[in-house]
């Protein structure tokens, strides 16, 4: 059988492969420096390290490692490999491939009492899979002395001819010996660039990739017939991860007789980190420097490199937005004493008596008591905020175009200009579903044609033939919308239910605000009654924040489950559908409370004598005399800062540390059962086994996109949002870098030329920001009413009299029965007319 015939489109997840990559010397491009790092991992470079990072011959380097779990027998404390010779009718196992390493053989008669059919099944499948890998050209060696209880390791080395074959199959571009000069600036532009380079030199990372390039090698798709054109044999160093992983992903094995659907291998990837990345990237001490993006790309691949490049561009673009936002805020602070409406509200000589804020328990109050709120509102509701809204709309468009330009430059630098993603292999779950459909159709078809009863002895053979025939039918069958209709219906109902749940929780918080305000109004102290609005607003926002953080985690799990039942065909389709569902649910979860305060609060209050009630008991809450913009600012700032501090930073630091501690405690308990294993020194890949698995880039992108919404959607109410986002991202970049380098198992490198669906989401948020900020200025801010008063109703062309113009009068004798204040003389005089705000 040819090697290509053994390949299938089943991904690694179907086989449960756990892959550790420890190839890190040439990945960075600094061979001597990286060699020093690897040699320093153990005390004896000639013995222990060669057995850990090399095969036993000390020459062949370990590129990947397969890791699997097994139940360790009480008879032997070392990894055993038992070969059972079954008859040809039971199953076919590749017996001719013997892996080097310890392979103790147990006596069959002795082991029968301890036989575990499930473990034997997984072992047979592993042997078949490893045999297929060797037929594909890979060289394997079993770890002869593992130190982790119940865990086995198989080392993999990819020879040069296999790398060449895979590079040609994947059409990977290679740097040839042909070089060409890069056009350089001349004249004044050259001098300007030279000055900029000297100024920015202290903030550049000390890596070779950041030096200006004057020449570039011509790249061409690899061909084994034209190897003499290649510039260096080290070409495969940075893309070896992709080549070997493609072989592991395509190689398959048949199902075992006693298969119970469990995994053959544990999913694992190692992180052999570099000193250079730690010093110049994954350190808080270099927060002021540019990122070594080319180095990140060489080590982690293009997909992760593009994420950090995008995050760096976004953070840089936040600098001008932060500066303008601070200027707008300072302008509000400088002009607060000159704001005529707030001065009128604070002037006690106006003696404006306001109507009660609730029935019975609330009494009349002086408008001057809300002086502090009115003055604070001016900080975020002034003519400069209108300019800032327009500026941020242009900023969002500029940021998108700037990133497109940066992305194209990276594609050129990384030789991705002609890269096109090939048609992805179907997912294992999709193929299983199609196989089930094929077998069912084949069974129905043969049942109709069956006229004679089957012989009993041939039933099992016929069943096996039908199943094996189903493998061929997967090439012809596919899942239609009728097959997926139950999943689509479940998705629709589930998403509507989750959105309704979010609305219900926001409604519950509204009831809390109304009832708490009424309860606090019964306070016997004047200070307690005066702080009702601040207390209610602050506590309600904190409740919203806690609920948002909890529901974010719940919605993430629900989005994944809804996507899984759809059974998308490819991994790319699965990822895009998952991202869309998760973003939709988390967007609604994060912004629904803010939308309520911005556009609905105080709009359906009614008037004295004819208020709007909820459940005939709770009167709808209204905005403060200064408007709802101040409450919107409080809501936005607490939710944004709380999510960044708790969810984005503490969770990212605390949860991995906690998981690592739990794994350490479990391993310590296992080691206590085997003192001999506990005393042995671990190899590098055994240490990397204890790291946290890589969960993908979706959580990283998601938190940044939600933050981008906070920065752009309601920026008119909170000009300092870009500043807090900038401070968070400066820490976030180094936090993510440290996490990728030291806390996570090294991901498999994935080639990509853009950030995928996230760019479309960013564009959508940017366009939505223009609309929302226009609505905030029109309906939430007092900017439009003030302009109308200034140019149409003002007698002297000033804002004097604006407050009185916005208030209506109410005769207290028109109160409905049971709604008038219990203590109408609380202010010390009888009130005949009270004022209330027009919304």
């Amino acid at each position: 059988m040819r090697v290509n015939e053994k390949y299938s489109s089943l991904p690694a997840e179907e086989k449960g492969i756990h892959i550790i990559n420890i190839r890190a010397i040439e990945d960075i491009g600094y061979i001597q420096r990286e060699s020093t790092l690897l040699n320093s991992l153990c005390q004896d470079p000639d013995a222990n390290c060669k057995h850990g990072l090399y095969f036993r011959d000390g020459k062949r380097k370990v590129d990947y490692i397969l890791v699997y779990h097994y139940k360790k027998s009480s008879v032997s404390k070392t990894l055993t490999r038992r070969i059972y010779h079954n008859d040809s009718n039971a199953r076919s196992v590749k017996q001719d491939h013997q892996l080097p390493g310890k392979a103790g053989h147990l006596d069959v008669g002795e082991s029968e009492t301890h036989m575990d059919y499930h473990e034997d099944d997984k072992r047979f499948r592993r042997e078949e899979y490893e045999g297929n890998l060797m037929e594909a050209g890979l060289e394997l060696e079993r770890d002869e002395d593992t130190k982790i209880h119940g865990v086995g390791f198989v080392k993999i080395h990819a020879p040069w001819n296999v790398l060449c074959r895979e590079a040609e199959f994947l059409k990977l571009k290679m740097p040839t010996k042909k070089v060409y000069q890069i056009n350089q600036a001349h004249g004044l532009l050259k001098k300007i660039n030279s000055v900029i380079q000297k100024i920015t030199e202290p903030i550049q990372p000390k890596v070779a990739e950041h030096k200006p390039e004057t020449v570039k090698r011509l790249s061409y798709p690899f061909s084994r017939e034209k190897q003499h054109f290649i510039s260096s044999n080290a070409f495969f160093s940075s893309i070896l991860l992709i080549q070997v992983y493609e072989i592991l992903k395509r190689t398959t094995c048949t199902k075992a007789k006693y298969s119970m659907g469990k995994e053959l291998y544990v999913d694992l990837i190692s992180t052999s980190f570099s000193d250079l990345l730690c010093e110049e990237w994954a350190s808080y001490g270099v927060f002021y420097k540019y990122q070594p993006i080319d180095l990140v790309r060489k080590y982690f691949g293009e997909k992760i490199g593009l994420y950090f490049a995008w995050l760096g561009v976004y953070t840089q673009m936040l600098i001008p937005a932060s500066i303008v936002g601070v200027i707008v805020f300072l302008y509000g602070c400088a002009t607060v004493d000159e704001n005529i409406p707030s001065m009128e509200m604070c002037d006690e000589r106006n003696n404006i008596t306001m109507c009660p804020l609730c029935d019975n328990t609330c009494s009349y109050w002086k408008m001057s008591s809300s002086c502090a709120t009115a003055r604070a509102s001016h900080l975020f509701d002034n003519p400069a905020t209108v300019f800032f809204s327009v500026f941020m709309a242009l900023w969002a468009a500029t940021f998108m175009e700037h990133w497109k330009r940066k992305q194209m430059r990276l594609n050129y630098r990384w030789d991705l200009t002609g890269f096109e993603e090939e048609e992805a292999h179907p997912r294992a779950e999709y193929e299983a579903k199609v196989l089930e459909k094929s077998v069912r159709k084949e069974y129905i078809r043969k049942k109709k044609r069956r006229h004679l009863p089957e012989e009993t002895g041939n039933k099992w053979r016929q069943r096996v033939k039908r199943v094996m025939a189903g493998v061929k039918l997967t090439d012809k069958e596919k899942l239609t919308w009728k097959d997926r209709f139950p999943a689509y219906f479940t998705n629709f109902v589930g998403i509507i239910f989750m959105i309704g749940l979010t609305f219900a929780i926001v409604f519950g918080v509204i009831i809390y605000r109304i009832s708490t305000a009424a309860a606090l109004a019964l306070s016997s102290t004047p200070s307690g009654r005066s702080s009702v609005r601040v207390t209610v607003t602050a506590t309600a926002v904190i409740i919203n924040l806690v609920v948002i953080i909890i529901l974010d985690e719940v919605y993430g799990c629900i989005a994944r489950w809804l996507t899984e039942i759809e059974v998308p065909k490819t991994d790319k389709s699965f990822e895009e559908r998952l991202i869309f569902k998760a973003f939709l649910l988390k967007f609604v979860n994060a912004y629904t409370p803010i939308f309520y305060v911005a556009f609905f609060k105080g709009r359906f209050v009614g008037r004295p004598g004819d208020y709007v009630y909820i459940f005939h008991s709770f009167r709808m809450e209204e905005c403060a005399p200064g408007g709802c913009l101040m409450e919107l600012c409080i809501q936005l700032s607490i939710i944004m800062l709380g999510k960044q501090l708790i969810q984005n930073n503490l969770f990212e630091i605390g949860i991995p540390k906690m998981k690592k501690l739990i794994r350490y405690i479990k391993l310590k308990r296992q080691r206590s059962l085997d003192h001999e294993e506990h005393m042995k020194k671990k190899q590098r890949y055994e240490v990397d086994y204890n790291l946290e698995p890589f969960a993908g880039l979706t959580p990283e992108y998601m938190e940044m996109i939600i933050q981008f919404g906070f920065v752009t959607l309601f920026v008119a109410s909170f000009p300092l949002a870009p500043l807090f986002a900038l401070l968070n991202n400066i820490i976030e970049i180094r936090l993510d870098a440290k996490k990728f380098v030291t806390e996570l198992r090294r991901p498999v490198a994935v080639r990509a030329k853009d950030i995928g669906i996230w760019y479309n989401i960013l564009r959508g948020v940017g366009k939505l920001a223009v609309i929302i900020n226009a609505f905030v200025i029109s309906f939430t801010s007092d900017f439009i009413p003030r302009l109308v008063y200034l140019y149409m109703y003002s007698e002297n062309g000033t804002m004097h009299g604006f407050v009185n113009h916005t208030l209506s009068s109410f005769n207290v004798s028109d109160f409905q029965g049971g709604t008038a204040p219990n203590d109408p003389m609380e202010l010390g005089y009888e009130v005949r007319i009270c004022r209330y705000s027009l919304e």
Side-chain angles (χ1 to χ4, degrees):
M1 183 182 291
R2 297 193 305 274
V3 172
N4 289 339
E5 292 178 354
K6 293 182 177 297
Y7 290 169
S8 77
S9 56
L10 290 175
E13 289 78 359
E14 171 68 10
K15 300 180 287 295
I17 299 175
H18 241 317
I19 307 158
I20 304 182
N21 166 18
I22 59 172
R23 178 100 172 196
I25 293 184
E26 295 90 352
D27 288 1
I28 300 302
Y30 294 86
I31 298 179
Q32 295 180 353
R33 183 185 186 99
E34 198 63 50
S35 298
T36 304
L37 168 66
L38 296 180
N39 289 338
S40 66
L41 294 178
C42 65
Q43 298 176 353
D44 188 359
D46 297 328
N48 296 338
C49 270
K50 283 194 173 181
H51 290 171
L53 300 175
Y54 292 82
F55 277 29
R56 292 198 321 277
D57 56 14
K59 298 179 180 179
R60 291 174 294 173
K61 191 175 301 180
V62 177
D63 299 322
Y64 271 76
I65 289 183
L66 298 180
V67 186
Y68 58 90
H69 284 161
Y70 66 95
K71 292 182 179 179
K72 200 162 187 178
S73 173
S74 59
V75 177
S76 174
K77 290 293 183 181
T78 59
L79 179 62
T80 61
R81 184 173 182 265
R82 298 172 296 171
I83 307 298
Y84 292 91
H85 298 276
N86 294 354
D87 59 278
S88 58
N89 292 333
R91 56 186 299 152
S92 175
V93 181
K94 303 240 183 291
Q95 303 287 353
D96 54 333
H97 298 285
Q98 300 292 332
L99 298 188
K102 283 189 177 180
H105 297 274
L106 294 179
D107 183 67
V108 176
E110 179 185 358
S111 63
E112 283 181 353
T113 57
H114 301 284
M115 182 173 293
D116 187 334
Y117 291 118
H118 178 53
E119 286 298 312
D120 292 338
D121 172 65
K122 291 197 296 182
R123 176 173 48 77
F124 277 123
R125 295 166 66 192
R126 283 197 299 269
E127 292 168 358
E128 181 186 3
Y129 178 74
E130 292 164 359
N132 292 341
L133 290 180
M134 288 191 287
E135 288 196 5
L138 297 178
E139 298 176 2
L140 278 65
E141 181 182 83
R142 194 180 303 279
D143 184 2
E144 59 184 22
D145 198 13
T146 180
K147 289 96 179 168
I148 302 180
H149 184 82
V151 177
F153 298 90
V154 177
K155 304 174 185 178
I156 297 179
H157 171 73
W160 174 257
N161 62 321
V162 175
L163 297 179
C164 293
R165 183 193 70 201
E166 289 302 309
E168 186 174 21
F169 175 74
L170 297 174
K171 299 179 181 179
L172 298 176
K173 284 189 175 182
M174 66 176 185
T176 63
K177 297 178 180 179
K178 178 68 175 178
V179 298
Y180 57 91
Q181 295 289 331
I182 299 177
N183 292 333
Q184 301 294 322
H186 300 283
L188 179 61
L189 188 59
K190 182 178 181 180
K191 294 181 180 179
I192 295 175
N193 290 339
S194 178
V195 173
I196 293 175
Q197 289 178 6
K198 290 181 180 179
I199 295 175
T200 60
E201 185 176 359
I203 61 176
Q204 297 290 347
K206 296 178 181 179
V207 293
E209 281 76 2
H210 265 266
K211 295 181 180 179
E213 293 182 352
T214 58
V215 296
K216 182 174 175 62
R217 294 188 179 275
L218 181 66
S219 296
Y220 193 79
F222 181 82
S223 173
R224 282 177 283 185
E225 298 177 354
K226 301 177 181 179
Q227 291 188 38
H228 55 282
F229 289 121
I230 192 172
S231 63
S232 172
N233 288 346
F235 159 71
F236 290 127
S237 60
S238 61
I239 57 174
L240 178 139
L241 319 181
I242 305 174
Q243 295 169 285
V244 181
Y245 186 70
E246 284 296 321
I247 300 176
L248 297 175
K249 194 167 63 172
R250 294 197 307 262
T251 306
T252 186
C253 62
T254 59
K255 297 288 185 181
K257 180 177 180 181
Y258 302 106
S259 175
M260 297 175 63
K262 300 295 183 182
E263 295 181 341
L264 278 174
Y265 297 92
V266 181
D267 204 3
L268 179 69
I269 298 174
S270 165
T271 172
S272 304
F273 60 88
S274 162
D275 280 347
L276 190 59
L277 282 175
C278 288
E279 294 172 2
E280 298 296 330
W281 185 50
S283 173
Y284 294 108
V286 294
F287 71 92
Y288 59 92
K289 290 187 176 182
Y290 287 98
Q291 299 182 84
I293 294 298
D294 292 328
L295 199 63
V296 176
R297 171 250 177 177
K298 284 185 177 180
Y299 193 75
F300 291 109
E302 285 81 1
K303 190 171 185 179
I304 294 178
L306 283 173
Y307 163 72
F308 282 101
W310 173 84
L311 183 57
V313 171
Y314 172 49
T315 304
Q316 292 174 19
M317 290 294 293
L318 284 173
I319 296 176
S322 302
I323 294 174
V324 177
V326 171
I327 293 175
V328 169
F329 178 74
L330 294 178
Y331 170 81
C333 295
T335 59
V336 66
D337 293 329
E338 301 174 4
N339 183 41
I340 296 177
S342 61
M343 291 172 61
E344 290 183 346
M345 294 178 65
C346 295
D347 192 355
E348 296 183 0
R349 295 175 296 179
N350 289 333
N351 196 27
I352 299 178
T353 303
M354 302 298 294
C355 295
L357 296 176
C358 61
D359 296 335
N360 297 120
T361 57
C362 297
S363 185
Y364 305 106
W365 55 285
K366 290 289 190 68
M367 174 172 279
S368 58
S369 63
S370 62
C371 176
T373 304
R375 290 174 61 88
S377 296
H378 179 73
L379 302 179
F380 307 99
D381 189 5
N382 55 71
T385 58
V386 179
F387 160 77
F388 190 56
S389 299
V390 177
F391 171 82
M392 289 303 296
L394 298 176
W395 175 88
T398 304
F399 163 63
M400 299 303 297
E401 294 302 318
H402 179 49
W403 167 245
K404 285 173 60 177
R405 183 174 181 272
K406 177 70 173 180
Q407 188 172 259
M408 293 179 66
R409 293 180 63 185
L410 291 176
N411 287 339
Y412 167 75
R413 192 192 307 170
W414 296 346
D415 294 324
L416 296 173
T417 50
F419 172 73
E420 295 293 339
E421 293 186 5
E422 299 180 359
E423 184 178 357
H425 300 298
R427 298 172 61 246
E429 294 81 1
Y430 179 85
E431 288 196 330
K433 200 75 174 178
V434 173
L435 179 61
E436 179 184 345
K437 179 182 178 181
S438 302
V439 172
R440 186 170 59 250
K441 291 179 65 175
E442 184 73 7
Y443 175 78
I444 295 174
R445 184 179 64 84
K446 290 189 176 182
K447 187 176 180 180
K448 291 180 179 179
R449 294 184 179 182
R450 182 169 28 183
H451 300 289
L452 298 175
E454 275 190 310
E455 296 181 6
T456 307
N458 293 330
K459 284 186 178 181
W460 173 253
R461 184 175 298 176
Q462 293 295 332
R463 182 180 178 186
V464 172
K465 287 183 178 180
R466 286 197 298 270
V467 173
M468 297 305 296
V471 177
K472 300 297 182 182
L473 290 175
T474 55
D475 299 332
K476 302 178 181 178
E477 293 288 345
K478 63 179 182 179
L479 298 182
T480 63
W481 69 269
K482 293 182 180 179
D483 300 320
R484 289 194 172 104
F485 179 77
Y488 289 155
F489 181 76
T490 304
N491 270 258
F492 177 77
V493 174
I495 291 176
I496 295 298
F497 175 78
M498 292 299 109
I499 294 176
L501 175 63
T502 303
F503 290 164
I505 292 175
V506 173
F507 182 75
V509 175
I510 295 173
I511 298 298
Y512 162 80
R513 293 165 65 110
I514 297 173
S515 58
T516 304
L520 291 178
L522 297 175
S523 175
S524 58
T525 61
S527 59
R529 291 193 296 269
S530 62
S531 61
V532 168
R533 192 180 298 275
V534 176
T535 303
V536 171
T537 301
T539 56
V541 173
I542 293 174
I543 293 174
N544 278 326
L545 174 62
V546 174
V547 171
I548 287 172
I549 293 176
I550 294 175
L551 288 185
D552 263 358
E553 304 301 322
V554 175
Y555 286 168
C557 298
I558 292 176
R560 176 169 292 276
W561 176 74
L562 292 175
T563 307
E564 288 175 351
I565 64 175
E566 284 187 45
V567 195
K569 184 175 182 180
T570 63
D571 288 331
K572 182 179 180 181
S573 176
F574 179 90
E575 184 181 23
E576 290 180 348
R577 296 186 185 197
L578 173 62
I579 290 171
F580 176 76
K581 294 182 182 68
F583 174 76
L584 177 62
L585 293 176
K586 293 187 178 184
F587 181 89
V588 173
N589 181 40
Y591 295 110
T592 298
I594 301 174
F595 270 93
Y596 164 72
V597 175
F599 303 121
F600 297 99
K601 184 178 179 181
R603 306 293 174 186
F604 312 101
V605 177
R607 58 177 180 81
D610 189 20
Y611 284 115
V612 177
Y613 293 86
I614 301 177
F615 305 134
H616 304 286
S617 302
F618 302 101
R619 212 180 85 183
M620 287 295 293
E621 56 181 347
E622 53 186 296
C623 296
C628 281
L629 201 64
M630 184 60 193
E631 289 191 42
L632 178 61
C633 174
I634 296 174
Q635 187 97 7
L636 180 62
S637 60
I638 292 181
I639 292 178
M640 176 183 176
L641 298 179
K643 278 180 64 66
Q644 290 184 167
L645 179 63
I646 299 175
Q647 194 172 29
N648 298 355
N649 291 329
L650 292 183
F651 281 12
E652 286 192 15
I653 298 174
I655 293 180
K657 294 288 186 183
M658 188 180 301
K659 290 182 178 179
K660 189 175 181 180
L661 178 61
I662 293 174
R663 287 195 299 270
Y664 173 77
I665 294 175
K666 288 183 179 180
L667 289 175
K668 192 174 181 180
R669 291 178 179 176
Q670 292 176 355
R671 292 171 189 167
S672 62
L673 301 177
D674 194 336
H675 181 71
E676 181 182 353
E677 289 185 358
H678 178 63
M679 299 302 295
K680 296 175 182 177
K681 182 177 178 60
K682 284 188 177 182
Q683 300 289 358
R684 177 56 187 271
Y685 48 82
E686 294 177 305
V687 176
D688 292 340
Y689 174 79
N690 296 323
L691 298 176
E692 183 73 13
F694 175 64
L697 290 172
T698 299
E700 313 297 335
Y701 273 114
M702 187 68 70
E703 66 181 67
M704 288 295 105
I705 299 299
I706 296 296
Q707 183 203 81
F708 181 77
F710 285 126
V711 169
T712 56
L713 292 180
F714 296 93
V715 73
S717 63
F718 190 40
L720 297 179
L723 175 63
F724 288 112
L726 174 63
L727 298 176
N728 174 81
N729 288 4
I730 291 175
I731 301 175
E732 181 74 20
I733 290 177
R734 306 304 164 180
L735 177 63
D736 284 348
K738 198 172 186 65
K739 180 174 66 175
F740 271 79
V741 170
T742 63
E743 299 291 338
L744 297 179
R745 298 167 186 167
R746 185 177 181 184
V748 175
V750 178
R751 305 194 79 196
K753 62 186 303 183
D754 53 44
I755 60 175
I757 192 176
W758 296 109
Y759 181 79
N760 297 329
I761 294 177
L762 281 169
R763 288 185 60 189
V765 173
K767 293 179 179 179
L768 184 62
V770 177
I771 301 174
I772 291 180
N773 280 289
F775 273 71
V776 169
I777 294 173
S778 302
F779 300 107
T780 309
S781 170
D782 283 342
F783 179 75
I784 300 298
R786 290 178 182 180
L787 285 182
V788 172
Y789 175 80
L790 182 64
Y791 292 105
M792 296 187 65
Y793 297 102
S794 177
E795 297 178 355
N796 51 9
T798 64
M799 293 301 297
H800 288 288
F802 173 74
V803 174
N804 187 65
H805 176 77
T806 60
L807 298 177
S808 296
S809 300
F810 176 74
N811 194 324
V812 298
S813 61
D814 294 332
F815 271 122
Q816 295 181 0
T819 61
N822 294 331
D823 187 8
M825 299 295 296
E826 183 174 345
L827 295 179
Y829 57 87
E830 183 180 3
V831 178
R832 298 181 180 273
I833 300 294
C834 65
R835 311 294 296 274
Y836 65 96
S837 177
L838 286 173
E839 296 293 346

